[in-house]
Amino acid sequence: MVDEKRIDVGGAVLEIIAKVSPDADLRDVKPDVRLREQIELDSMDFLDIVMELRKKYKIEVPKEDYIQLATLDSCRAYLGPKFTALGYKAF
């Protein structure tokens, strides 16, 4: 039996957003629209998301790459390979 860690990258990001901004309505988040246009996130909330990625998953996001986390689709594209490098099967 293969022990495979699987992760839904978009779901992981939404889970972190729910923790950072518990009042956010995440039911209708569109994957191709900027998160900050859909959810009330200020710059501190965004930094908390980045810090939570580091804390929970050991994923570092350098400041120059923050733009890669603009939408759920771009989060999947940017974070997917990072999760894969950590041994996850990212989807």
Side-chain angles (χ1 to χ4, degrees):
M1 181 174 162
V2 176
D3 183 21
E4 186 176 272
K5 300 185 291 184
R6 296 174 48 89
I7 189 156
D8 172 0
V9 176
V13 170
L14 289 174
E15 182 180 299
I16 290 171
I17 291 171
K19 181 177 180 179
V20 168
S21 183
D23 295 332
D25 182 2
L26 304 176
R27 291 175 290 181
D28 296 319
V29 173
K30 295 172 182 65
D32 59 339
V33 177
R34 294 175 63 88
L35 292 168
R36 290 181 74 174
E37 291 176 12
Q38 302 179 75
I39 306 165
E40 288 189 34
L41 295 172
D42 62 25
S43 58
M44 289 305 294
D45 291 332
F46 186 80
L47 289 176
D48 287 342
I49 292 166
V50 171
M51 291 178 65
E52 190 65 22
L53 282 166
R54 185 177 64 215
K55 184 171 124 183
K56 186 170 184 175
Y57 297 108
K58 310 293 187 252
I59 291 178
E60 297 283 340
V61 179
K63 187 175 184 176
E64 61 271 12
D65 289 349
Y66 287 178
I67 190 67
Q68 301 298 321
L69 305 180
T71 69
L72 277 183
D73 283 346
S74 66
C75 286
R76 286 184 183 102
Y78 178 79
L79 296 172
K82 293 183 176 293
F83 277 109
T84 299
L86 292 172
Y88 289 91
K89 180 169 175 64
F91 61 97

